[in-house]
Structure formats: structure tokens, C-alpha cells
């Protein structure tokens, strides 16, 4: 092998060694969805080298006393981008971070915010604290590195340190943040976060908009029940999904329709003795209106298999 060929093979590795961090995430605008509440609506794709792993909806709430951040994103680079957007609006200090669930695309950016304030409190459900302690954060760091071909290099696990459960309230900067937990929904760790006074609800991945998300850790029946309970319990007017555009209760109605369409069709076909590998045409036909949502083609087959197992379990 010629020296030039050897050098060509070595240069990428040398570059990684010289730069232990991935590149900065470009700035995305922060949209004010209610008075003092901003959402950075991320791409609706899976994590890729092109989006550098940024694909959720980080949000921040500006209060008289400081800033509360909800789900800052998937990497230290995304967290630094979120901080840049915050500093374009206010120089008030960070008060707290709220993490909605254990999937790392929503919280690995904690690292950047904790770097700005070393004693920053980070709230999450106790099951999330347990999962991070058990290694979930390291699994997500590795997953993001692989999916982005190294763009998230430098990200370290900085998990939540304060547990909150269903019905708990925390007053930050004069606003009440109320936490809602419904059991196994998208995962076993999911919180919905209500900002009481401005009537805003952070849905996280319990309901997304124009984006279908994985259900590997979730429950279709639990998700449907949770969305029904949230509608009955929470008097919010502005709803922020974990992925996709902010809106109103139509987000919940639409995502519930998708989840029920999968589960009810699969359950009915299961009763008829149809195998999960033969169900996709009928399920896809019922869900045709969602076919242009990001993730539909990737997730539908997996969702059918998961719903089949859930229907089978419910039958016994």
C-alpha cells in the first residue's frame, strides 16, 4: 500500500483524535408559543449526520427570576445551541431543567446547561433516575454517536437529580409546574408537564405531531388511556409535543387516533386468527391519513408487532 493510501486511511482517525468534540449545531429559531414560553422546533427526522442528532423540541420558560428549560435535546452541542437562543432573549440565570423521559434525544443536552450552572437542579420521574443510574444514558450516548457518525462527540451523561411524580408541583420564578404521570405510555418514565398559569402543556412523546415515534418501551393501551385522562384532567390551551409543531388539543386527538387505529385493528385481526406478518395492509389502510407523517413507514411494521404482543397478552 502506498504512503498516500495509508495517509488517506489515517486522516479521519487523526482528525477525531485532534477534535474530541463534534461540530456545533446550527442555530434554530425559538418560537414564542405563549407569553414567555419558547419552543425550538427541531427536525422531525431520526438522528442523522445531517441533523447532528437534533430532532426534538427543546423549550424554555422565561420567568421574572430566571429560565426553566424543558428537554434541552440530544447532545452537548444541541444544549449549547439552546443556550445561545436563550441568551438572545434574556440574560436571566438558569433556574432548573425538566426532563420528560429517558430517551436520550430529549435530555443528553443537560450537560451543556449544567456546565453553565454547576448546581442546576434537573427534575424527572424517579423511574428515569433509576434508568439513568442503570446505564440508559451511556446506551443513548452510544446510539447517538452511531446514528450521527460521530457528530455528537463530547457528549457525557448528566442525568436528573430530583425526582418528581404524579401531581407534584414545583414553583419556579412565580410559575407553577405540575407533573402528570400515567404509568406505561411511551415509556415507563414519561411525564407530561403543565405550566399552570399560562395554560401550557408539554406532552413530550406521549403525543407527537406529524411524527410517529417508537413504542418499543411503551404500551398502546396505556397511551390511549393516558391521553384520555390528560384531556379530562388538564385545562391547557397550548400543547407542545415532543416532536412536531405546537398546537392545541387536536394534537392529542390525532395521535390518539393513530394509536387506536393500530391497536384496535391489530386486536380485531388477532381475534380472527390473522398473524401479525399479514396485518400490515389492513392496518395501513385504516391509517392512510397518517402515511405522510415522518416515521410512518419505518415504525408501522414494528408497531403492529408490538400491538400484537399487547393484544395477545390482554387475551389471557
Amino acid at each position: 500500500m502506498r504512503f498516500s493510501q495509508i495517509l488517506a486511511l489515517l486522516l479521519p482517525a487523526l482528525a477525531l483524535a485532534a477534535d474530541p468534540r463534534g461540530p456545533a449545531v446550527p442555530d434554530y429559531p425559538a418560537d414564542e408559543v405563549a407569553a414567555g414560553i419558547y419552543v425550538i422546533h427541531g427536525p422531525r427526522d431520526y438522528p442523522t449526520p445531517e441533523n447532528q442528532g437534533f430532532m426534538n423540541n427543546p423549550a424554555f420558560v422565561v420567568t421574572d427570576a430566571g429560565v426553566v428549560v424543558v428537554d434541552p435535546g440530544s447532545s452537548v452541542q444541541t444544549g449549547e445551541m439552546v443556550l445561545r437562543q436563550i441568551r438572545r432573549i434574556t440574560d436571566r440565570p438558569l433556574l432548573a431543567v425538566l426532563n420528560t423521559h429517558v430517551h436520550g434525544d430529549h435530555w443528553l443536552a443537560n450537560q451543556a446547561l449544567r456546565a453553565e450552572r454547576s448546581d442546576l437542579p434537573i427534575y424527572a420521574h424517579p423511574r428515569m433516575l433509576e434508568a439513568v443510574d442503570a446505564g440508559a444514558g451511556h446506551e443513548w450516548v452510544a446510539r447517538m454517536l452511531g446514528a450521527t457518525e460521530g457528530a455528537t462527540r463530547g457528549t457525557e451523561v448528566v442525568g436528573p437529580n430530583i425526582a418528581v411524580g404524579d401531581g407534584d408541583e414545583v414553583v419556579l420564578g412565580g410559575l407553577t409546574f405540575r407533573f402528570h404521570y400515567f404509568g406505561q405510555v411511551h415509556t415507563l418514565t414519561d411525564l407530561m408537564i403543565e405550566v399552570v398559569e399560562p395554560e401550557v402543556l408539554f406532552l413530550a412523546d406521549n403525543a407527537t405531531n406529524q411524527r410517529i415515534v417508537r413504542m418499543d418501551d411503551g404500551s398502546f393501551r396505556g397511551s390511549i388511556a393516558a391521553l384520555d385522562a390528560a384531556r379530562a384532567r388538564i385545562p391547557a390551551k397550548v400543547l407542545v409535543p415532543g416532536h412536531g409543531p405546537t398546537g392545541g388539543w387536536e394534537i392529542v386527538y390525532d395521535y390518539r387516533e393513530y394509536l387506536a387505529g393500530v391497536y384496535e385493528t391489530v386486536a380485531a385481526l388477532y381475534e380472527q386468527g390473522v398473524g401479525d406478518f399479514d396485518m400490515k395492509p389492513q392496518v395501513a389502510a385504516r391509517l392512510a391519513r397518517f402515511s405522510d407523517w415522518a416515521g410512518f413507514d419505518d415504525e408501522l411494521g414494528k408497531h403492529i408487532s408490538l400491538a400484537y404482543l399487547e393484544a395477545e397478552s390482554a387475551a389471557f
Side-chain angles (χ1 to χ4, degrees), residues 188-200:
L188 276 166
T189 66
D190 300 286
L191 291 171
M192 295 187 198
I193 302 173
E194 177 187 4
V195 191
V196 175
E197 292 81 3
E199 298 182 299
V200 172

Side-chain angles (χ1 to χ4, degrees), residues 30-312:
D31 303 316
E32 190 171 19
V33 301
I37 299 182
Y38 298 83
V39 179
I40 303 171
H41 294 97
R44 294 195 290 275
D45 306 322
Y46 289 104
T48 65
E50 290 72 28
N51 64 31
Q52 298 170 248
F54 174 47
M55 28 81 80
N56 79 308
N57 286 344
F60 55 95
V61 182
V62 179
T63 76
D64 291 340
V67 181
V68 179
V69 181
V70 181
D71 279 0
S74 60
S75 68
V76 64
Q77 292 87 354
T78 299
E80 289 165 350
M81 184 272 288
V82 171
L83 280 170
R84 291 196 300 272
Q85 307 322 304
I86 292 172
R87 295 302 167 224
R88 288 181 175 180
I89 293 165
T90 181
D91 60 359
R92 294 170 191 166
L94 297 177
L95 294 180
V97 175
L98 314 179
N99 291 160
T100 61
H101 66 292
V102 75
H103 288 167
D105 57 311
H106 291 260
W107 67 272
L108 287 174
N110 287 352
Q111 176 187 355
L113 280 68
R114 183 63 69 71
E116 176 159 312
R117 178 184 163 187
S118 62
D119 63 343
L120 184 67
I122 304 176
Y123 295 83
H125 191 270
R127 287 182 178 269
M128 178 173 169
L129 272 69
E130 294 169 2
V132 174
D133 286 344
H138 296 290
E139 293 173 10
W140 274 96
V141 167
R143 182 176 297 183
M144 284 295 169
L145 274 171
T148 64
E149 297 179 3
T152 59
R153 291 190 312 277
T155 300
E156 300 174 359
V157 176
V158 177
N161 60 346
I162 301 177
V164 285
D166 187 45
D168 287 346
E169 294 182 354
V170 178
V171 178
L172 299 165
L175 294 179
T176 305
F177 293 80
R178 181 179 296 150
F179 301 92
H180 300 272
Y181 179 73
F182 299 98
Q184 188 176 20
V185 185
H186 175 61
T187 71
L188 276 166
T189 66
D190 300 286
L191 291 171
M192 295 187 198
I193 302 173
E194 177 187 4
V195 191
V196 175
E197 292 81 3
E199 298 182 299
V200 172
L201 177 62
F202 291 97
L203 290 162
D205 284 2
N206 300 292
T208 55
N209 191 8
Q210 301 174 27
R211 170 72 151 83
I212 306 297
V213 294
R214 64 199 296 261
M215 287 291 288
D216 304 52
D217 308 314
S219 164
F220 286 89
R221 297 171 72 200
S223 294
I224 293 164
L227 296 180
D228 290 343
R231 186 66 187 97
R233 177 195 297 186
I234 304 171
K237 293 181 179 176
V238 176
L239 277 67
V240 182
H243 303 265
T246 293
W249 283 99
E250 73 280 354
I251 296 172
V252 167
Y253 301 146
D254 284 349
Y255 209 70
R256 187 195 187 284
E257 181 181 337
Y258 172 82
L259 294 166
V262 173
Y263 185 76
E264 290 172 2
T265 308
V266 167
L269 292 171
Y270 170 80
E271 289 296 325
Q272 297 171 26
V274 179
D276 57 343
F277 47 86
D278 291 324
M279 293 181 176
K280 190 171 183 178
Q282 293 180 68
V283 178
R286 175 165 174 176
L287 299 174
R289 68 175 290 247
F290 299 99
S291 62
D292 62 346
W293 282 30
F296 180 87
D297 292 332
D298 298 289
E299 297 296 336
L300 184 59
K302 291 182 283 186
H303 284 184
I304 290 169
S305 296
L306 292 166
Y308 184 93
L309 293 173
E310 196 168 338
E312 185 177 48

